[in-house]
Every structure is written in structure tokens, then in C-alpha cells.
Amino acid sequence: MRLAKLLSGFAAIAALALSAFAGDILSEYQQRYTKGAGASVKQDVIQALVATGKPEAMKALQWCAGVSKSAIEDAKEKVDKARAALAPVEAKILKKQQDYFDQFKKQGKPLPDSRPRWPEDDEHLALSADVTNAEKLVAAQQSVLTELLTAHGTLVAKLPPEAQKAVREDWTKNRIGSKDWMVRAEGYELLGHVATDWATEMLTAAVSPATNTEPDPRALIIAIDGLGGRDAAKVGPALAARMEDVRWLVRASVVAALEKTPSKEGIDAIVKRMVKEEGRLKDDCRRALQALTGQDLAANPEIWRVWWEQNRDKWTGKPPAEDTAKGPDPFKDLGKKPAESDRKTGFFGIQIESKRVVFVIDISGSMNAKMGGNGPDAKSSRAELAREELKRVVAALEDGTIFNIVFFSSGVRVWKPDMQKADGKSRGEALQFIAGVEFAGGTNTYDALEAAFALGDMGKGKKRESDPTGDARVDTIVFLSDGKPSVGKITDPDLIRGSVKDWNRSRRIAIHAVAFVGAATSKDGNEGADPAFMKGLAADTGGKCVEK
């Protein structure tokens, strides 16, 4: 959404940009960009424009973005049309398949390993190819646009000082100075791609509590993102000061930015703040400290305080990721990492620290398959394991935790329209809901994740766009699936990940993924979840992924 909004702004100024073009730039690049058959041609144009180093080329890039924005909208329409044509065929096949297997159930016979091939299968194959091709076109266009945004920032940084001054004045007045928080967020996103001192100054001014330039947390976290990875001496004080912000969304963003901006002062700030945090943010602090120091210690503030006090003077910088220390906890007397059996709210080995969590669980027909293999759960079905684990975790939720459940197969079923506070009554109702669900249908991953993110909105309707509190109601999604996305608005894994990244720009929700990739194959041929997709979702959002 954020990139699309930004690019719609580019499209709106396209006409104005045209009048400012030098004739050579317009004639040479416009035709190449619009007539280029593949992404590689457009990428060549983008690189060539950056290489000119001219202010006119910046406007040319904005014009190109408008062209690509229109191309993306056209491609999305093709996806919608292809899916609309495919949906009734899918429904017909699912109905025939259900009727076919029901015959055997009614007669008490074992289900066959396969079903007959129907004429609809060939039609489904052709229509599915149309959907896939349309989705790939969208992905390709979005990839070009992402590269274009980066190139735009590179070009701005290469402009002569006077031209950069004009850009700064324009953005200060028309973007950062806007009354619309979304326009300001777009401005911060542009600045985040510009590696100049003045861009750093503008972002720092927006983030620093002393100047308090940016009041809305949804825009503020985009500015914080833009500071991550810059000169720690210049941006560290502003980031550290924001660690005391009352809004968890802001603090989560600061922790992530400090992890990308290694400094002793940044580690000081995280260690100090960890004492006050609970739930997911305490684990965020632990993860950032682990990355910055290479130490694999528990999410215990006292452990980290003592270790840092003893090692601060020795710290020379962030170690490579693979250098994270393994082995026994050197501060075992101060507290131990809980054993797996003691983790009441662990979900298939993932410790759930969150107090604002949504469980998104696959209930497709393939979940009825046995786990297979040689493990202790080999004879259990995926559905049985998922149901019992979810019941156990919900029953163990601490009072006051807010939670919800989203079940998905071909459609999506949300337990309650709003997040619920955990107590005896709500836990009991949730357990009844879990016990009554039936496992059948396809795998509508996109719509399920979309529903889960909607539960985390800071408000509904107009309030969603105006609420500046930053008190989003979801910080963690626990996502379990045993199959590749097969139905829904979008089925391409890369596009789903792209959508999640977009939704998460102003939410900072961590997704923990459980991928059932067991040895068994279900009746419909489903061989299990896509590990790369599930791991990618977790990695994109700062979550964890386990395979079963």
C-alpha cells in the first residue's frame, strides 16, 4: 500500500514533469521505457537515467514510475479477471471431489489414494496458468518499481549542491510539511533512500523528541526506518531518546533501527529499556542484542545488564551473523532459559512472548493427512496435532492477553470480529470454537493473513486513518499451514510476501510460521507447505519458523 500510494503521487505529477524534461531525455528514455518488453529493458533505462546525474533525470524517473504504476494496475486487473474465471471451476471441482470421497465414507470404505480425472481439471489447469502469468507480471512490475525508488534516491544524492538544495526545499514544504500523515510518510520513505547529510538531518529532526516534528506514529516509524544504518554518531542520540516513547510501535521500530546502527550507546539504550519491556518487545530487545554482540543469552534484562557491564569496553562492533555464540549460558546463576517442557505458551517449539497475538491456522482438507515418517507423531493427522497444540496454547494464555483465531481453507473464518481479552470465559469459548472446526477445502493463505492484519488496525473506518495513538492491537501472528497457497485473491508466494511487507510498514507485526512438511501426502496430492515461503514470511517480519 505504501509503495502504491507513493507511486500514485509520482503519477499525479507526471504531466508536470513532462513539461520540465529536456527534449533529449524525453525522446530517448520515454520510448525505451514504455516500449521495453521486459523488466531488464526498464532497469537499463533506470540505470542510464541515474548515470546522467541531471535534475531532469529525477523528474524522468518520477514519470517512469507513473508509467509503471499504471502497468501494475493493469496487471492487477488481469489477475482479478483470471481469478474470477478460475473461481467457479475450483468450486465445481471441490464439490465433485467432496461428493466422490463422501461415497466411500458413507459406505464405510477406506478412502482411495486418488480420484478420477474430470474435464474440469484441464480447464482448471489452463485458467491457473493465466492466473500465474498475471501474478508474475505484477511481481515483475513491482520489482522494477522498487528498484526505481532506490535509484531515485541514488540520483538525488548525486545532484549538484544547488539542485539538492532545491529538492530539499521542495520536499520540506510539500511533503514533510503536509498536514496529511501519509504524504509525510511518503516523504520520509524518499529521504530514507537518499544518503546525504541533509536527508539525515531531516529524518533526525522528525524522529528526535526534542524537536518532535512528526506527531503521528505511522509516519514516525517510516522516518525511524530511514535512520537505520546511517552514521551512529549522528542518528544514535535521536533513536535512543525515542526508546522512551509510550507507543510500542515506535519502540519496536527504534530497536530494529539500532540493530542496523551498531554503537555502544545504542546497546546501552536497548539494555536499559529491556528492563521495562514485556511480551514481544522484550524478545525484540534480546534479538537485537544478540545480533549486535554475538551473545546467545536469554531474554533476561539482568543477564544482559551484567554481561554488558563486563564487556562494554571490549566491544568492537557488530559481529557477522554466523558468529553468534553457542554453548552454555555464561550467566546460568542469574536465570536460565526455560526448558521446552516449561514453556506453557510455546507453539510447536516457538515461545510466544506476545500479549497481542492472532493464531492463523490452516484447516484445509490436506490437514487430514497423517504426518508420516518415523517420529512419535507419524500416525497422527496434521489436523489432530494442530488442534491439540492450539487448544493447549489458548488454555495457557495469561489473563489480560488479547488474542483471536483465524481459521482458513478455501475461505476464511474469524473467531471474533475484534480482539478478545483472555480470561476464563473467553478461553472457554475459544476452545469450543477450536473443537468444532472441520478440516476441508483449499489453502487461502493471502485472505487469511489479510484478515489477521485487519484485526490489528488501530481503528475502523475514519478512525483507522486518523488515530495517532500507535496502540495497534496485534504485534504477533502465529501462522500454521501444511500447503502451498492454492485459492484466494493472490496465490503467488512472492506476491503474498510483498503484500505482507507492505501491510507491515505501519504495523510491525512479527509472524511466527509453523510449516507442516511431513512425509505424508494428502488425498489431493498436497505434499506439504513451501518451506522457503514460510521461512521468508518469518524472516521478513522478525519472526521464527519451524518445520514439522
Side-chain angles (χ1 to χ4, degrees):
M1 181 185 297
R2 185 75 56 208
L3 183 57
K5 176 76 176 176
L6 174 63
L7 294 171
S8 66
F10 282 160
I13 64 171
L16 293 176
L18 282 172
S19 63
F21 283 140
D24 289 344
I25 289 182
L26 176 60
S27 60
E28 180 180 353
Y29 296 116
Q30 179 189 15
Q31 293 184 25
R32 287 173 57 190
Y33 196 82
T34 55
K35 293 183 179 180
S40 61
V41 176
K42 290 180 170 54
Q43 290 166 343
D44 288 343
V45 173
I46 292 170
Q47 293 169 9
L49 284 168
V50 173
T52 67
K54 298 180 178 179
E56 294 89 348
M58 185 182 74
K59 297 180 185 294
L61 285 171
Q62 293 172 355
W63 182 88
C64 289
V67 172
S68 285
K69 173 62 166 59
S70 297
I72 280 185
E73 293 305 312
D74 291 342
K76 286 182 176 179
E77 286 185 11
K78 291 180 180 179
V79 172
D80 291 341
K81 289 179 181 178
R83 290 227 56 89
L86 179 62
V89 179
E90 285 181 335
K92 190 172 182 179
I93 290 176
L94 286 172
K95 179 65 168 60
K96 291 184 72 170
Q97 186 169 283
Q98 183 176 351
D99 291 345
Y100 177 74
F101 287 115
D102 281 348
Q103 300 178 71
F104 296 88
K105 292 179 182 179
K106 290 176 181 178
Q107 296 173 22
K109 296 180 180 180
L111 298 181
D113 293 330
S114 62
R115 62 164 176 81
R117 185 169 185 81
W118 299 312
E120 290 84 0
D121 289 330
D122 292 330
E123 185 178 5
H124 183 275
L125 188 62
L127 291 172
S128 295
D130 291 342
V131 172
T132 299
N133 290 335
E135 288 177 342
K136 287 182 177 179
L137 179 59
V138 173
Q141 294 286 359
Q142 288 179 334
S143 177
V144 170
L145 284 170
T146 300
E147 181 173 340
L148 195 150
L149 186 60
T150 301
H152 185 271
T154 301
L155 175 62
V156 172
K158 290 183 176 181
L159 292 176
E162 285 303 312
Q164 288 193 36
K165 180 180 178 182
V167 172
R168 178 177 184 172
E169 291 174 351
D170 175 54
W171 289 3
T172 299
K173 178 180 179 181
N174 298 315
R175 294 186 184 275
I176 309 306
S178 173
K179 294 181 179 180
D180 186 337
W181 76 268
M182 293 188 74
V183 174
R184 297 197 303 274
E186 292 156 11
Y188 299 138
E189 187 164 35
L190 285 174
L191 285 167
H193 289 83
V194 180
T196 64
D197 287 341
W198 61 265
T200 300
E201 291 170 5
M202 290 180 69
L203 289 168
T204 302
V207 170
S208 175
T211 53
N212 204 30
T213 303
E214 181 48 61
D216 194 296
R218 294 163 295 184
L220 178 59
I221 62 178
I222 305 301
I224 292 171
D225 286 349
L227 289 180
R230 293 177 185 254
D231 186 340
K234 295 179 179 179
V235 306
L239 289 172
R242 275 292 174 191
M243 283 294 279
E244 298 304 313
D245 198 289
V246 297
R247 298 161 296 193
W248 77 263
L249 275 172
V250 175
R251 298 198 305 277
S253 302
V254 171
V255 171
L258 287 174
E259 181 180 336
K260 298 175 183 177
T261 316
S263 72
K264 291 182 178 180
E265 292 73 21
I267 297 176
D268 290 341
I270 298 174
V271 170
K272 178 181 178 182
R273 183 67 207 184
M274 193 179 188
V275 176
K276 303 177 183 179
E277 295 294 358
E278 62 177 16
R280 198 204 90 186
L281 265 178
K282 180 176 287 186
D283 196 53
D284 282 2
C285 291
R286 178 204 60 78
R287 189 176 62 248
L289 290 172
Q290 178 179 318
L292 288 166
T293 66
Q295 297 301 306
D296 187 16
L297 306 181
N300 184 313
E302 184 63 9
I303 290 176
W304 279 105
R305 184 191 67 77
V306 173
W307 184 89
W308 183 236
E309 190 174 86
Q310 295 178 357
N311 291 275
R312 190 180 192 278
D313 292 340
K314 305 174 188 176
W315 186 82
T316 57
K318 184 176 181 179
E322 60 270 19
D323 285 355
T324 298
K326 303 296 180 183
D329 190 331
F331 295 95
K332 61 182 180 180
D333 294 333
L334 289 174
K336 297 181 179 179
K337 297 179 183 180
E340 201 65 52
S341 59
D342 297 332
R343 296 183 173 187
K344 292 193 307 178
T345 52
F347 188 77
F348 288 109
I350 297 176
Q351 178 68 2
I352 310 301
E353 304 284 356
S354 172
K355 305 297 183 185
R356 310 160 180 251
V357 59
V358 178
F359 298 95
V360 181
I361 309 298
D362 186 347
I363 58 169
S364 61
S366 58
M367 289 285 287
N368 290 309
K370 301 296 183 183
M371 289 296 293
N374 300 315
D377 299 321
K379 296 182 179 180
S380 300
S381 73
R382 300 163 179 171
E384 290 168 346
L385 286 178
R387 192 197 302 271
E388 291 309 309
E389 187 77 347
L390 182 59
K391 287 167 65 176
R392 184 186 63 76
V393 171
V394 168
L397 288 174
E398 293 183 13
D399 285 351
T401 298
I402 57 174
F403 74 107
N404 210 326
I405 302 167
V406 176
F407 285 132
F408 70 99
S409 56
S410 296
V412 175
R413 185 179 176 190
V414 182
W415 172 46
K416 298 285 188 180
D418 294 304
M419 298 293 287
Q420 301 295 300
K421 183 174 291 188
D423 55 26
K425 181 175 182 293
S426 65
R427 284 192 292 265
E429 291 178 355
L431 292 175
Q432 288 182 350
F433 177 68
I434 297 167
V437 71
E438 295 185 0
F439 290 73
T443 307
N444 193 343
T445 302
Y446 178 90
D447 291 17
L449 290 173
E450 184 179 44
F453 270 87
L455 289 168
D457 287 343
M458 288 181 277
K460 300 293 183 182
K462 292 183 178 179
K463 187 180 180 183
R464 176 179 174 184
E465 295 301 323
S466 62
D467 179 14
T469 65
D471 190 26
R473 295 169 294 172
V474 174
D475 64 22
T476 301
I477 290 172
V478 178
F479 173 59
L480 179 149
S481 182
D482 82 323
K484 301 172 179 62
S486 62
V487 297
K489 297 174 185 174
I490 296 176
T491 57
D492 181 271
D494 290 336
L495 284 182
I496 294 175
R497 284 180 61 184
S499 295
V500 169
K501 288 179 182 178
D502 193 34
W503 300 336
N504 222 15
R505 291 303 304 275
S506 60
R507 289 174 172 85
R508 295 305 191 269
I509 294 174
I511 298 178
H512 298 310
V514 178
F516 276 0
V517 293
T521 299
S522 66
K523 298 295 182 183
D524 62 2
N526 189 318
E527 298 178 354
D530 178 353
F533 169 62
M534 301 290 273
K535 290 177 182 177
L537 275 179
D540 293 343
T541 60
K544 304 179 183 70
C545 180
V546 297
E547 296 180 22
K548 299 294 289 183

